Amino acid sequence: MVLQAEEGLITTSLPVLVATAVPVERDAVARGLPAPAGEVRLPGASLVRTATGWDLLAAGVGPALAAATTAGALTAAALAGRPYGLVVSAGIGGGFAPGAPVGSLVVADAITVADLGAETADGFLPVTELGFGTVTHRPPRSLVRAVSEATGARTGTVLTVSTVTGTAARAAALRDRHPGALAEGMEGFGVAEAAVAHGVPVLEIRAVSNPVGPRDRAAWRIGDALAALTEGFGKLAPALESWNAHDR
């Protein structure tokens, strides 16, 4: 990916794809970037394209739909001769206390699927221990560092789950298996699977809207999390420029 300054804006010769679950997250990302330049229709989805080469995709809820939609966007871009240089999974999610309080931003140094495997009498076995598959994708360390320094995001594992955690027991079990976990979401691993299949680096950024644990809607701060997402993406393009210039 080559990043260059053009008329005071950071642009990419190989564009960036940002995949969120739902339009409200996509729109929060868009508010942190220059005004949209237009919309691109894809089968079953559409991209909002900014003037600086960022494509914003509401890919759907859950790892399967997010993977399928992201893979479609990656394929369409490659066939059009406009391949992506980076894929970013972004959105709001739960944070593990005390490391990721509500309103904070988390950038993943590991994107891990938490519930892909088998339950046994001795506990949960990840799919890797069953002899196939993978459970973790790791973004480039230099990129994670650059994004963390630029945005103030906390760095740790972001878990992908198909069922959002709603009990203290489930939260404790996840922390026991993944002591480095700071946040959970529902799409990151699916987006990462699609990116890796296309040979494209991947990043995951989550703004924390609620604590991971007992389901308590009164404790949700979705507006604060969306605002943190907007602020973070406002600082992200310069971080990518620095990473590309010095660390790739």
Side-chain angles (χ1 to χ4, degrees), residues 106-147:
V106 174
V107 57
D109 58 11
I111 302 169
T112 297
V113 60
D115 49 12
L116 182 61
E119 291 288 352
T120 75
D122 297 320
F124 178 80
L125 290 179
V127 70
T128 48
E129 294 188 23
L130 300 176
F132 52 90
T134 186
V135 294
T136 295
H137 294 294
R138 296 189 180 275
R141 285 182 293 179
S142 57
L143 176 58
V144 171
R145 182 173 60 250
V147 171

Coordinates of all heavy atoms in Angstrom, one line a residue, residues 106-147:
V106 N -10.1 0.2 21.4 CA -9.2 -0.9 21.4 C -8.8 -1.3 20.0 O -9.6 -1.3 19.1 CB -9.9 -2.2 22.1 CG1 -9.0 -3.4 22.0 CG2 -10.3 -1.9 23.5
V107 N -7.5 -1.5 19.8 CA -6.9 -2.0 18.6 C -6.4 -3.4 18.8 O -5.7 -3.6 19.8 CB -5.9 -1.1 18.0 CG1 -4.7 -0.8 18.9 CG2 -5.4 -1.7 16.6
A108 N -6.8 -4.4 18.0 CA -6.4 -5.8 18.2 C -5.0 -6.0 17.8 O -4.6 -5.7 16.7 CB -7.3 -6.7 17.4
D109 N -4.2 -6.7 18.8 CA -2.9 -7.3 18.3 C -3.1 -8.7 18.0 O -2.3 -9.4 17.5 CB -1.8 -7.1 19.4 CG -2.2 -7.7 20.8 OD1 -3.2 -8.4 20.9 OD2 -1.5 -7.4 21.7
A110 N -4.3 -9.3 18.3 CA -4.7 -10.6 17.9 C -6.3 -10.6 17.7 O -7.0 -10.1 18.6 CB -4.4 -11.6 19.0
I111 N -6.7 -11.1 16.6 CA -8.1 -11.2 16.3 C -8.5 -12.7 16.4 O -8.1 -13.5 15.6 CB -8.4 -10.7 14.9 CG1 -8.0 -9.3 14.7 CG2 -9.9 -10.9 14.5 CD1 -8.0 -8.8 13.3
T112 N -9.2 -13.1 17.5 CA -9.3 -14.5 17.9 C -10.8 -14.8 17.9 O -11.6 -14.1 18.6 CB -8.7 -14.7 19.3 OG1 -7.3 -14.5 19.2 CG2 -9.0 -16.2 19.7
V113 N -11.2 -15.9 17.3 CA -12.5 -16.5 17.4 C -12.6 -17.3 18.7 O -11.8 -18.2 18.9 CB -12.9 -17.3 16.2 CG1 -12.0 -18.5 16.0 CG2 -14.4 -17.7 16.2
A114 N -13.6 -16.9 19.6 CA -13.6 -17.5 20.9 C -14.4 -18.8 21.0 O -14.2 -19.6 22.0 CB -14.2 -16.5 21.9
D115 N -15.3 -19.0 20.1 CA -16.2 -20.2 20.3 C -16.2 -21.1 19.1 O -17.2 -21.8 18.8 CB -17.6 -19.7 20.6 CG -18.1 -18.6 19.6 OD1 -17.4 -18.3 18.6 OD2 -19.1 -17.9 19.9
L116 N -15.1 -21.2 18.3 CA -15.0 -22.2 17.2 C -14.2 -23.4 17.7 O -13.0 -23.3 17.9 CB -14.3 -21.5 16.1 CG -14.2 -22.4 14.8 CD1 -15.5 -22.8 14.2 CD2 -13.3 -21.6 13.7
G117 N -14.9 -24.4 18.0 CA -14.3 -25.6 18.5 C -15.3 -26.6 19.1 O -16.4 -26.7 18.5
A118 N -15.0 -27.3 20.2 CA -15.9 -28.3 20.7 C -15.9 -28.2 22.2 O -14.9 -28.0 22.9 CB -15.4 -29.7 20.3
E119 N -17.1 -28.4 22.8 CA -17.3 -28.6 24.2 C -17.0 -30.0 24.6 O -17.5 -30.9 24.0 CB -18.7 -28.1 24.7 CG -18.9 -26.7 24.6 CD -18.2 -25.8 25.6 OE1 -17.6 -26.4 26.5 OE2 -18.3 -24.6 25.5
T120 N -16.2 -30.2 25.6 CA -15.9 -31.6 26.1 C -16.1 -31.7 27.6 O -16.3 -30.6 28.3 CB -14.4 -32.0 25.8 OG1 -13.5 -31.3 26.7 CG2 -14.1 -31.6 24.3
A121 N -16.0 -32.9 28.1 CA -16.1 -33.0 29.6 C -15.0 -32.3 30.3 O -15.1 -32.0 31.5 CB -16.1 -34.5 29.9
D122 N -13.9 -32.1 29.6 CA -12.7 -31.4 30.2 C -12.7 -29.9 29.9 O -11.8 -29.2 30.2 CB -11.4 -32.0 29.8 CG -11.3 -33.5 30.2 OD1 -11.7 -33.8 31.4 OD2 -10.9 -34.3 29.4
G123 N -13.8 -29.4 29.2 CA -13.8 -28.0 28.9 C -13.8 -27.8 27.4 O -13.9 -28.7 26.6
F124 N -13.6 -26.5 27.0 CA -13.7 -26.1 25.6 C -12.4 -26.4 24.9 O -11.3 -26.2 25.5 CB -14.0 -24.7 25.5 CG -14.0 -24.1 24.1 CD1 -15.2 -24.3 23.3 CD2 -12.9 -23.5 23.5 CE1 -15.2 -23.8 22.0 CE2 -13.0 -23.0 22.2 CZ -14.1 -23.2 21.5
L125 N -12.4 -27.0 23.7 CA -11.3 -27.2 22.9 C -11.4 -26.4 21.6 O -12.4 -26.5 20.8 CB -11.2 -28.7 22.5 CG -10.8 -29.7 23.5 CD1 -10.7 -31.1 22.9 CD2 -9.4 -29.3 24.2
P126 N -10.5 -25.5 21.4 CA -10.5 -24.7 20.1 C -10.3 -25.6 18.9 O -9.7 -26.7 19.0 CB -9.4 -23.7 20.3 CG -8.4 -24.3 21.3 CD -9.3 -25.1 22.2
V127 N -10.7 -25.1 17.8 CA -10.6 -26.0 16.6 C -9.2 -26.4 16.2 O -9.0 -27.4 15.7 CB -11.3 -25.2 15.4 CG1 -10.5 -24.0 14.9 CG2 -11.6 -26.1 14.2
T128 N -8.2 -25.6 16.6 CA -6.8 -25.9 16.3 C -6.4 -27.2 17.1 O -5.6 -28.0 16.6 CB -5.9 -24.8 16.7 OG1 -6.3 -24.3 18.0 CG2 -6.0 -23.6 15.8
E129 N -7.0 -27.4 18.3 CA -6.6 -28.6 19.1 C -7.4 -29.8 18.6 O -7.1 -30.9 19.0 CB -6.9 -28.3 20.6 CG -6.0 -27.3 21.2 CD -6.2 -27.2 22.7 OE1 -6.6 -28.2 23.3 OE2 -5.8 -26.1 23.2
L130 N -8.3 -29.6 17.7 CA -9.0 -30.7 17.0 C -8.3 -31.1 15.7 O -8.7 -32.1 15.1 CB -10.5 -30.3 16.7 CG -11.3 -29.9 17.9 CD1 -12.7 -29.5 17.4 CD2 -11.5 -31.1 18.9
G131 N -7.3 -30.4 15.4 CA -6.4 -30.8 14.3 C -6.7 -30.1 13.0 O -6.1 -30.5 11.9
F132 N -7.4 -29.0 13.0 CA -7.6 -28.2 11.7 C -8.0 -26.8 12.0 O -8.4 -26.4 13.1 CB -8.7 -28.9 10.9 CG -10.0 -29.2 11.6 CD1 -11.0 -28.2 11.6 CD2 -10.2 -30.3 12.3 CE1 -12.2 -28.4 12.3 CE2 -11.4 -30.6 13.0 CZ -12.4 -29.6 13.0
G133 N -7.9 -26.0 11.0 CA -8.4 -24.6 11.1 C -7.4 -23.7 11.8 O -6.3 -24.1 12.2
T134 N -7.9 -22.5 12.0 CA -7.1 -21.5 12.8 C -8.1 -20.7 13.7 O -9.3 -20.7 13.4 CB -6.3 -20.5 11.9 OG1 -5.5 -19.7 12.6 CG2 -7.3 -19.7 11.1
V135 N -7.6 -20.1 14.7 CA -8.5 -19.4 15.6 C -8.0 -17.9 15.8 O -8.7 -17.1 16.4 CB -8.6 -20.0 17.0 CG1 -9.4 -21.4 16.9 CG2 -7.3 -20.2 17.7
T136 N -6.8 -17.6 15.3 CA -6.3 -16.3 15.5 C -5.6 -15.7 14.2 O -4.8 -16.5 13.6 CB -5.2 -16.3 16.6 OG1 -5.9 -16.6 17.9 CG2 -4.6 -14.9 16.8
H137 N -5.9 -14.5 13.9 CA -5.1 -13.7 12.9 C -4.5 -12.6 13.6 O -5.1 -11.9 14.5 CB -6.0 -13.2 11.8 CG -6.6 -14.4 11.0 ND1 -5.8 -15.2 10.2 CD2 -7.9 -14.8 10.9 CE1 -6.6 -16.1 9.6 NE2 -7.9 -15.9 10.0
R138 N -3.2 -12.3 13.3 CA -2.5 -11.2 13.9 C -2.2 -10.1 12.9 O -1.5 -10.3 11.9 CB -1.2 -11.7 14.5 CG -1.4 -12.8 15.6 CD -0.1 -13.2 16.3 NE -0.4 -14.1 17.4 CZ -0.8 -13.8 18.6 NH1 -1.0 -12.6 18.9 NH2 -1.1 -14.8 19.5
P139 N -2.7 -8.9 13.2 CA -2.4 -7.7 12.4 C -0.9 -7.4 12.5 O -0.2 -7.8 13.4 CB -3.2 -6.6 13.0 CG -4.3 -7.3 13.7 CD -3.7 -8.6 14.2
P140 N -0.3 -6.7 11.5 CA 1.1 -6.3 11.5 C 1.4 -5.5 12.8 O 0.7 -4.6 13.2 CB 1.3 -5.4 10.3 CG 0.2 -5.9 9.4 CD -1.0 -6.2 10.2
R141 N 2.4 -6.0 13.6 CA 2.7 -5.4 14.9 C 3.0 -3.9 14.7 O 2.6 -3.1 15.6 CB 3.8 -6.1 15.5 CG 3.5 -7.4 16.1 CD 4.6 -8.1 16.8 NE 5.7 -8.5 15.9 CZ 6.8 -9.1 16.2 NH1 7.1 -9.3 17.5 NH2 7.7 -9.4 15.3
S142 N 3.8 -3.5 13.7 CA 4.1 -2.1 13.5 C 2.9 -1.3 13.2 O 2.8 -0.1 13.7 CB 5.1 -2.0 12.4 OG 4.6 -2.5 11.2
L143 N 1.9 -1.8 12.5 CA 0.7 -1.1 12.3 C -0.1 -0.9 13.5 O -0.7 0.2 13.8 CB -0.1 -1.8 11.2 CG -1.5 -1.2 10.9 CD1 -1.4 0.2 10.4 CD2 -2.2 -2.1 9.8
V144 N -0.2 -2.0 14.3 CA -1.0 -1.9 15.6 C -0.3 -0.8 16.5 O -1.0 0.0 17.1 CB -0.9 -3.3 16.3 CG1 -1.5 -3.1 17.7 CG2 -1.8 -4.3 15.5
R145 N 1.0 -0.8 16.5 CA 1.7 0.2 17.4 C 1.4 1.6 16.8 O 1.1 2.5 17.6 CB 3.2 -0.1 17.4 CG 4.0 0.9 18.2 CD 5.5 0.4 18.3 NE 6.1 0.4 17.0 CZ 6.5 -0.7 16.4 NH1 6.2 -1.9 16.9 NH2 7.1 -0.7 15.2
A146 N 1.5 1.8 15.5 CA 1.2 3.1 15.0 C -0.2 3.6 15.3 O -0.4 4.8 15.6 CB 1.5 3.1 13.5
V147 N -1.1 2.7 15.1 CA -2.5 3.1 15.4 C -2.8 3.4 16.8 O -3.4 4.4 17.2 CB -3.5 2.0 14.9 CG1 -4.9 2.3 15.3 CG2 -3.4 1.9 13.3

